[in-house]
Amino acid sequence: MCGIVGYIGTKKACPILLVGLSRLEYRGYDSAGISTIEKDGLSLVKDKGRVKVLESNQEIEKLDGTIGIAHTRWATHGKPSKENSHPHQDNSKTFSVVHNGIIENYHELRNMLEQNGYNFLSQTDTEVIPNLIHYYFTKNQDSSVHGFLQAVRDCCLSLKGSFALEIISKLFPENMIVVRKDSPLVIGTCEDEKYISSDIPAILSYTRDFYLLNDLEFALLKNTEAKFYDTDLNEIDKRTSSIEWTATASEKNGYDDFMLKEIYEQPTAIRETLGAKISLNSKCNFDELKFTKEYLSNIEKIYIIACGTAMHAGLAGKNVIEKLCRIPVEVDIASEFRYRDPIINEKTLSIFISQSGETADTIAALKLAKASGSKTLAISNVIGSSITREADYSIYTHAGPEIAVASTKAYTSQVVLLNMLAVYFSEILENQPLDVINKIKQEMLDLPKKITKTFKCKNEIKAFAKKIYQEKDVFFLGRGIDETVAKEGSLKLKEISYIHSESYAAGELKHGSIALIENGVTVISVLMDKALIEKSISNIQEVISRGAKTLVVTSHDCDENMFDKVIKVPDTITYLSPIIAIIPLQLLAYYISKEKGLDVDKPRNLAKSVTVE
Ligand code: F6R
């Protein structure tokens, strides 16, 4: 939540910062602002509204500085307003700061600063930071650049919560300091330029070489230099990581919206995630994992922990891991897992799934599991993201940058990766016949082709979207693994179309919720698991007889006259069926949102990366 971008180089900073902000808008878009180092001190231009509003501000034209910081906000403390927008400055306007995260002890710090004569102009938690830096800078009486660094360090050690910060000062017109704790931040580097951003895609068009900061590592930047320090301000050695993603992967490339582009990228995302790891003639190859037969045989429980869509992928993963490996799997929402005193020990393996790798609750749950003796395995789409740095082991989906707030290609890539992991475990455990394993592998390899075939339902879905886009409530049903797809379909619909929707285990409906079904209500059912199809059809009959309109997504033959609309999709094995069945539901949510004229990529109240708890 909130996007921050920074530039330090030889060109005018402002245009570069504005481009960066527009690429980060998916992280928050209620206000935006910029501060640059100008000849006469620090500039500050900010306002409520989107980046476009900032771009049209006449003050922007006047900014010539080659060092600057910028911010696009998702409000946490204080409503969207000019005063609450970032950057924030200290009372003497010596330091400008942008912040992503939450300062939990800001009340206490604000009181302390007020007692020391500081005034506050905003309701934000962030405004304590520039004032605290000023407080320590004055107190430490070291006016060198080392004193600047020390003041930032002292400030950060006083903060509780999460933060990614960029700080500039009129006293140090060649420098910028950046630091992070539990919030994302990367530093892109070229010969005489440094680009700082909340995520890699926003600055991919400038460089593919990045420094990745660990918690509470401080970077003191000049255009030609990057020095790194630990909390004792000892200099530390840091190497760059090269990122494979291309800049065009972060652009719409002719599509109206990122979401549609990302839906259509799913065959490639799956192909890239499978990579060379799956082949019929050799064992599944996860070189980065070092699991042994002895370790896996002794595991009593696997936890899969994630949030939102990633958690839905985990539910699909539970199915295949339990069936192939015969190890019990518990799937939990990260924000619940943390607070329910879970039973974890060295005989538990904990798997954490996060597209961004920066979700605050998932990171906190990972730290808890690790501290309780469990081995931790991270699944992320972002190389070097926080969860991958915290976990004992990491594996990656190779979906490419996912920009739309609603997750699509990351979800299907996560489901395929969990299937690959199940096969890998099972091959180590030597507990499944070769033909069973080979069948799964073959089906995985066939997925890109089958997803492409599934896209043929686009026009039927578009027509159905036109029929139901004004609905107030939509229900999703499924049994077994189909219920996990129903959950994900329902989430997609509500987040981008703002239609209220619920998903239910089809057999559970009659235990209460069927009371909500009345004439004309839309019920969408997923019927992919052949073993359960008869039972699910009986449940659909129950809603039809109460007047429901029905859409069915299935790969099986059924009496199409029974339903209002049947979307036929290619057949695959049950474990992989969520990857096929979700495609029409992603498209349905997309076309309903378009029909309603909504901003598909940036739905209201949501941000792509949830870095607050
Ligand atoms: C929904 C969606 C969210 C994310 C969730 C976790 O479309 O995108 O539900 O799945 O916020 O995000 P990550 O995977 O980045 O941890």
Side-chain angles (χ1 to χ4, degrees):
M1 337 223 67
C2 299
I4 62 179
V5 61
Y7 174 74
I8 170 162
T10 50
K11 306 187 188 92
K12 266 194 189 185
C14 184
I16 295 168
L17 295 173
L18 287 170
V19 172
L21 283 186
S22 62
R23 291 180 183 157
L24 288 173
E25 251 196 332
Y26 71 86
R27 301 176 65 88
Y29 27 87
D30 59 47
S31 43
I34 283 188
S35 178
T36 52
I37 306 184
E38 301 293 324
K39 288 199 182 72
D40 55 350
L42 295 176
S43 71
L44 182 65
V45 187
K46 56 184 190 173
D47 215 337
K48 184 179 158 183
R50 292 206 165 181
V51 175
K52 275 198 218 103
V53 177
L54 183 69
E55 271 167 2
S56 60
N57 189 316
Q58 289 178 348
E59 293 301 307
I60 281 287
E61 310 261 299
K62 301 180 192 156
L63 306 184
D64 288 325
T66 58
I67 301 183
I69 58 179
H71 188 272
T72 174
R73 181 167 185 249
W74 187 86
T76 55
H77 295 67
K79 62 180 188 326
S81 69
K82 183 170 177 174
E83 295 68 42
N84 290 334
S85 314
H86 298 219
H88 288 281
Q89 293 185 325
D90 65 301
N91 290 170
S92 68
K93 303 193 188 316
T94 306
F95 301 99
S96 284
V97 171
V98 288
H99 167 220
N100 169 29
I102 285 191
I103 306 305
E104 288 161 5
N105 59 338
Y106 84 101
H107 264 302
E108 179 185 322
L109 294 169
R110 190 166 162 149
N111 287 342
M112 183 282 276
L113 288 163
E114 277 171 347
Q115 280 161 21
N116 281 278
Y118 289 85
N119 298 317
F120 287 85
L121 307 174
S122 77
Q123 291 126 29
T124 63
D125 51 342
T126 302
E127 204 184 350
V128 297
I129 299 173
N131 284 310
L132 205 55
I133 294 171
H134 179 268
Y135 170 80
Y136 283 116
F137 186 71
T138 323
K139 190 172 163 208
N140 294 344
Q141 295 195 330
D142 178 353
S143 56
S144 70
V145 76
H146 186 266
F148 178 24
L149 188 62
Q150 200 179 347
V152 172
R153 187 276 313 262
D154 291 350
C155 163
C156 290
L157 293 185
S158 314
L159 303 176
K160 287 199 185 123
S162 58
F163 48 87
L165 301 174
E166 295 170 350
I167 307 129
I168 51 174
S169 169
K170 67 177 182 189
L171 302 178
F172 305 100
E174 294 186 348
N175 295 103
M176 181 186 300
I177 296 179
V178 300
V179 54
R180 66 179 285 276
K181 181 183 162 276
D182 296 335
S183 281
L185 190 105
V186 294
I187 303 167
T189 179
C190 313
E191 212 176 308
D192 54 3
E193 289 171 307
K194 304 286 169 277
Y195 298 86
I196 302 92
S197 171
S198 298
D199 78 12
I200 291 171
I203 49 177
L204 255 186
S205 51
Y206 308 112
T207 180
R208 297 232 202 132
D209 295 324
F210 289 87
Y211 290 110
L212 304 172
L213 286 181
N214 290 323
D215 278 356
L216 285 174
E217 285 180 348
F218 297 81
L220 177 63
L221 305 176
K222 275 186 171 179
N223 64 342
T224 50
E225 193 177 85
K227 288 187 171 178
F228 299 93
Y229 299 87
D230 63 15
T231 46
D232 295 324
L233 299 187
N234 295 318
E235 197 170 336
I236 45 181
D237 191 31
K238 204 167 261 298
R239 302 275 154 83
T240 55
S241 308
S242 271
I243 302 299
E244 292 164 16
W245 294 349
T246 59
T248 51
S250 321
E251 275 149 28
K252 284 190 193 155
N253 297 341
Y255 284 90
D256 286 348
D257 305 277
F258 278 111
M259 183 177 174
L260 191 63
K261 173 182 173 242
E262 288 160 9
I263 290 174
Y264 277 90
E265 280 174 345
Q266 290 178 105
T268 312
I270 300 281
R271 207 174 286 118
E272 293 291 319
T273 300
L274 291 169
K277 288 188 159 50
I278 293 288
S279 96
L280 296 185
N281 306 320
S282 53
K283 291 200 167 165
C284 187
N285 154 23
F286 276 108
D287 281 345
E288 56 277 59
L289 303 181
K290 305 273 178 251
F291 292 119
T292 59
K293 187 169 183 178
E294 193 197 351
Y295 169 74
L296 288 174
S297 314
N298 281 315
I299 287 196
E300 287 172 354
K301 182 159 58 174
I302 294 178
Y303 279 118
I304 301 183
I305 314 295
C307 302
T309 289
M311 193 276 291
H312 295 158
L315 290 170
K318 167 186 165 83
N319 197 288
V320 62
I321 296 172
E322 283 190 339
K323 293 249 169 68
L324 291 190
C325 310
R326 308 311 297 159
I327 303 173
V329 178
E330 232 181 276
V331 181
D332 215 337
I333 299 168
S335 56
E336 291 294 317
F337 176 79
R338 296 174 58 188
Y339 299 110
R340 70 171 170 85
D341 194 11
I343 300 164
I344 317 171
N345 54 38
E346 60 290 347
K347 292 195 170 173
T348 12
L349 168 65
S350 306
I351 302 176
F352 298 84
I353 311 174
S354 174
Q355 185 284 128
S356 62
E358 303 295 346
T359 300
D361 281 315
T362 311
I363 297 169
L366 190 155
K367 287 180 179 167
L368 171 75
K370 205 171 169 182
S372 310
S374 168
K375 275 210 193 318
T376 53
L377 165 60
I379 294 183
S380 179
N381 194 38
V382 181
I383 294 179
S385 58
S386 297
I387 64 159
T388 66
R389 278 181 282 156
E390 288 286 344
D392 297 313
Y393 305 100
S394 300
I395 52 175
Y396 292 93
T397 50
H398 293 278
E402 193 180 62
I403 311 284
V405 165
S407 182
T408 52
K409 61 177 180 171
Y411 166 77
T412 44
S413 302
Q414 286 157 355
V415 176
V416 85
L417 193 58
L418 286 162
N419 272 270
M420 291 159 70
L421 198 61
V423 166
Y424 164 77
F425 286 165
S426 174
E427 282 178 337
I428 295 175
L429 288 164
E430 299 176 305
N431 65 349
Q432 294 291 340
L434 190 61
D435 59 330
V436 170
I437 293 295
N438 273 346
K439 170 79 178 151
I440 302 174
K441 286 181 175 173
Q442 186 59 59
E443 288 289 341
M444 284 197 242
L445 294 168
D446 289 345
L447 277 172
K449 194 167 76 216
K450 291 189 180 179
I451 297 173
T452 306
K453 270 196 193 153
T454 312
F455 292 145
K456 289 193 182 144
C457 71
K458 183 187 100 177
N459 288 337
E460 287 175 281
I461 289 289
K462 216 170 167 175
F464 193 77
K466 273 195 178 19
K467 278 194 198 153
I468 67 159
Y469 77 99
Q470 283 170 320
E471 300 279 295
K472 294 275 174 285
D473 304 287
V474 171
F475 294 86
F476 286 77
L477 302 183
R479 274 176 181 260
I481 201 162
D482 292 341
E483 191 212 346
T484 72
V485 184
K487 280 189 158 59
E488 175 58 9
S490 169
L491 179 63
K492 284 291 88 86
L493 184 69
K494 65 188 115 181
E495 66 181 324
I496 61 164
S497 78
Y498 315 153
I499 294 177
H500 168 252
S501 119
E502 300 285 344
S503 66
Y504 292 102
E508 183 64 14
L509 201 65
K510 57 184 163 301
H511 296 286
S513 313
I514 201 163
L516 295 170
I517 304 294
E518 55 185 4
N519 216 16
V521 161
T522 299
V523 177
I524 297 173
S525 304
V526 183
L527 302 184
M528 297 292 283
D529 187 344
K530 201 164 187 186
L532 300 173
I533 194 162
E534 296 302 330
K535 297 254 180 265
S536 294
I537 288 180
S538 304
N539 300 132
I540 304 173
Q541 294 283 15
E542 290 158 11
V543 297
I544 291 175
S545 58
R546 283 157 184 87
K549 271 201 300 270
T550 50
L551 170 80
V552 163
V553 175
T554 185
S555 54
H556 306 292
D557 291 330
C558 55
D559 180 359
E560 299 204 5
N561 296 325
M562 209 188 286
F563 313 108
D564 292 284
K565 182 78 205 158
V566 174
I567 299 291
K568 268 310 265 306
V569 293
D571 196 20
T572 181
I573 49 169
T574 309
Y575 307 138
L576 297 171
S577 61
I579 296 171
I580 301 293
I582 197 59
I583 307 279
L585 304 185
Q586 292 170 342
L587 287 169
L588 183 66
Y590 174 82
Y591 285 116
I592 290 179
S593 180
K594 289 302 269 185
E595 206 56 52
K596 293 179 84 167
L598 301 173
D599 187 341
V600 176
D601 288 338
K602 297 186 196 106
R604 72 180 178 207
N605 304 341
L606 292 173
K608 181 74 181 161
S609 183
V610 186
T611 52
V612 294
E613 292 172 20

